[in-house]
Amino acid sequence: MAFPQTSSPARAGKSPAIVIFLCFLAIVFDGYDLVVYGAIVPKLLAYEPWGLTPVETGAIGSYALAGMFIGAILIGYLTDVVGRRKVMMVSIASFSLLMLLTAWAPTPELFGLFRFLAGLGLGGVIPTAIALTVEFSKSNRRNFNNALMFSGYAVGGILAALLALAFLSTLGFQGMLALGGIPLVTVVPLLFKYLPESPAYLVAKGDRAQAERIVAEYGLESLPPAKVQGDAPEKGRFRTLLTGRLLGAMVLFCLAGICGQTLVYGLNTWLPQLMVIAKYSLASSLTFLLTVNIGAVVGVLVSSRLADRFGPRRVTAVSFASSGIALVLMGTGMMPLVAMYALVAVVGFGSVGAQILVNGFVATYFSGATRATALGITLGIGRIGAVLAISGGGVLVAAALGNFINFSVWAIAAAVGAIAVLTVPRPRDTETKGGAAGAPAAGHTIHH
């Protein structure tokens, strides 16, 4: 059902941009949590009361990712069952409280436990934010708006790197982690007041009148029909996604997600330490971490527009490939400082940027009835790569291998990710229709 442009009061002052901005704010603190751990790794290793080794530090870092693995799958599913709005608020509130507990943890064992529990809440934020952003975007801006929203991930990383440069020496790792509790008193109240429910969820629950009101208020393109061939019944979302033609797509998306998160979490956690090993100062290493996330923001905003124009498949593959090439070049040790900064920026685009593009690919591939569940599965399974990267990075550092291996080993994930997205089967119409504004507008084709 399409709504014509009118000047009705119901639509006055309601912009989808507020939804995208709120999702952006939520994602900022996901990015902060990721990068702040990488920034504090040298301090954790130097903290004498705990006496952590690189392998132990990598293992503890992976606990939050293990929690996100479970949280993304379960909460991604619950998002399609109980609604996006409730899940977003509860996830952020629980994550914030547990970040505070992590900062106050008296032992490394409790530190790791609270990191795991915080990951459960954080795991629900990403699929919810992506699903809402896609549903509140016009069909020809979904990849761009998703990238714009998800650039909050890199903005959070930039914020963590800047704060670490300025305050790590005085606040210590505990103070840097405590800042992760800020969303409890900033973002959650904003979500409570301004975040609407998903029209696709409301239609699936039978509240079509409320869904139509939200579509009208926010000027969205259309509502899904009450029942679309290929949509999942309420209790059959997993079965729909994990059978038939969609199973092959899910496997390849999960593989791409594993590769993307291997790059994102491995490099954001261990890049400062790898640069220290390569004879750069800690301050310079944190500046490289900052450069990674700046490269991610700039690169993905450009590439996402190309994804809307030409389809996410090829653009995502190029993103993966560019990071792999840059990592190999960094490992040669033959690059001047300026070139190293440029390559690090490319790595940021091809790691964080590639993961953002994969998320957008998934969100535009599946229907509104299964979108958040598909995102939850992809992001959850993708955490396997994150866990392996963070724990494996500790093993890599402890092995004291040469700089070429330290950097170029990550290019394997980039190569596999590029192949995975290129081989995702092209969707059928009945598999991709049905989201809130879920089908392309008339005359507009999305090239998967």
Side-chain angles (χ1 to χ4, degrees):
M1 176 177 178
F3 284 81
Q5 299 290 325
T6 70
S7 56
S8 64
R11 297 183 58 184
K14 298 276 186 167
S15 171
I18 187 63
V19 177
I20 297 168
F21 176 70
L22 290 171
C23 293
F24 168 88
L25 287 180
I27 293 294
V28 163
F29 288 92
D30 184 18
Y32 178 86
D33 175 70
L34 161 65
V35 177
V36 80
Y37 191 80
I40 67 174
V41 160
K43 289 289 187 181
L44 282 172
L45 291 172
Y47 189 56
E48 293 183 2
W50 288 358
L52 296 173
T53 66
V55 173
E56 290 169 337
T57 304
I60 290 173
S62 71
Y63 295 163
L65 280 303
M68 292 174 77
F69 167 79
I70 298 171
I73 295 175
L74 294 182
I75 300 177
Y77 174 77
L78 287 174
T79 291
D80 283 328
V81 176
V82 303
R84 323 277 202 237
R85 187 173 183 272
K86 292 177 183 177
V87 165
M88 180 74 87
M89 289 190 292
V90 171
S91 294
I92 294 177
S94 62
F95 157 73
S96 300
L97 285 170
L98 283 157
M99 280 292 283
L100 292 173
L101 290 175
T102 302
W104 296 330
T107 67
E109 291 77 18
L110 285 175
F111 183 84
L113 174 62
F114 294 145
R115 289 281 299 170
F116 170 78
L117 295 175
L120 289 174
L122 197 56
V125 173
I126 302 176
T128 310
I130 297 170
L132 281 169
T133 297
V134 168
E135 290 167 16
F136 280 80
S137 298
K138 292 184 182 297
S139 58
N140 63 344
R141 285 180 59 91
R142 288 188 190 129
N143 282 287
F144 179 75
N145 284 353
N146 179 63
L148 191 64
M149 180 278 296
F150 215 86
S151 67
Y153 197 83
V155 169
I158 292 169
L159 182 64
L162 288 174
L163 289 173
L165 282 167
F167 302 116
L168 180 58
S169 60
T170 53
L171 292 180
F173 70 85
Q174 295 97 335
M176 296 300 299
L177 291 170
L179 293 175
I182 290 175
L184 186 63
V185 294
T186 55
V187 178
V188 174
L190 290 174
L191 293 174
F192 181 80
K193 185 170 183 179
Y194 295 110
L195 186 68
E197 186 52 89
S198 154
Y201 164 76
L202 291 170
V203 168
K205 288 299 181 183
D207 193 353
R208 192 170 184 86
Q210 176 75 350
E212 288 177 348
R213 184 183 67 79
I214 292 174
V215 166
E217 286 180 342
Y218 288 87
L220 305 183
E221 290 177 346
S222 63
L223 269 179
K227 179 70 177 176
V228 176
Q229 184 182 0
D231 272 358
E234 182 173 336
K235 295 185 179 180
R237 291 178 178 85
F238 284 117
R239 182 179 299 176
T240 298
L241 292 171
L242 301 179
T243 56
R245 182 181 175 86
L246 290 182
L247 174 61
M250 284 301 306
V251 169
L252 290 166
F253 277 129
C254 287
L255 180 58
I258 289 171
C259 294
Q261 293 194 48
T262 295
L263 291 168
V264 172
Y265 284 86
L267 293 171
N268 273 289
T269 300
W270 291 107
L271 182 63
Q273 193 65 22
L274 292 177
M275 299 308 289
V276 168
I277 292 171
K279 309 302 182 185
Y280 293 89
S281 68
L282 178 58
S284 295
S285 299
L286 291 174
T287 305
F288 278 115
L289 193 60
L290 178 63
T291 305
V292 164
N293 288 282
I294 292 174
V297 171
V298 175
V300 78
L301 290 180
V302 174
S303 62
S304 61
R305 292 299 290 167
L306 296 175
D308 278 324
R309 177 68 180 86
F310 300 106
R313 182 189 307 273
R314 287 171 290 178
V315 179
T316 307
V318 169
S319 179
F320 270 122
S322 65
S323 66
I325 293 169
L327 284 162
V328 171
L329 291 174
M330 288 173 64
T332 63
M334 300 170 60
M335 298 293 148
L337 184 61
V338 173
M340 283 293 285
Y341 275 110
L343 290 171
V344 167
V346 172
V347 168
F349 157 63
S351 55
V352 178
Q355 183 59 48
I356 292 172
L357 290 169
V358 168
N359 294 338
F361 195 176
V362 174
T364 57
Y365 190 95
F366 294 97
S367 74
T370 57
R371 180 175 292 127
T373 303
L375 284 164
I377 293 173
T378 304
L379 288 161
I381 297 298
R383 300 298 176 194
I384 294 173
V387 171
L388 291 175
I390 294 179
S391 56
V395 174
L396 185 67
V397 169
L401 302 173
N403 285 335
F404 183 77
I405 294 178
N406 282 346
F407 288 103
S408 61
V409 69
W410 304 100
I412 298 171
V416 175
I419 294 169
V421 296
L422 286 173
T423 52
V424 171
R426 297 190 179 277
R428 296 169 180 162
D429 289 344
T430 56
E431 293 168 346
T432 57
K433 292 178 183 177
H444 181 81
T445 301
I446 295 179
H447 306 277
H448 288 288

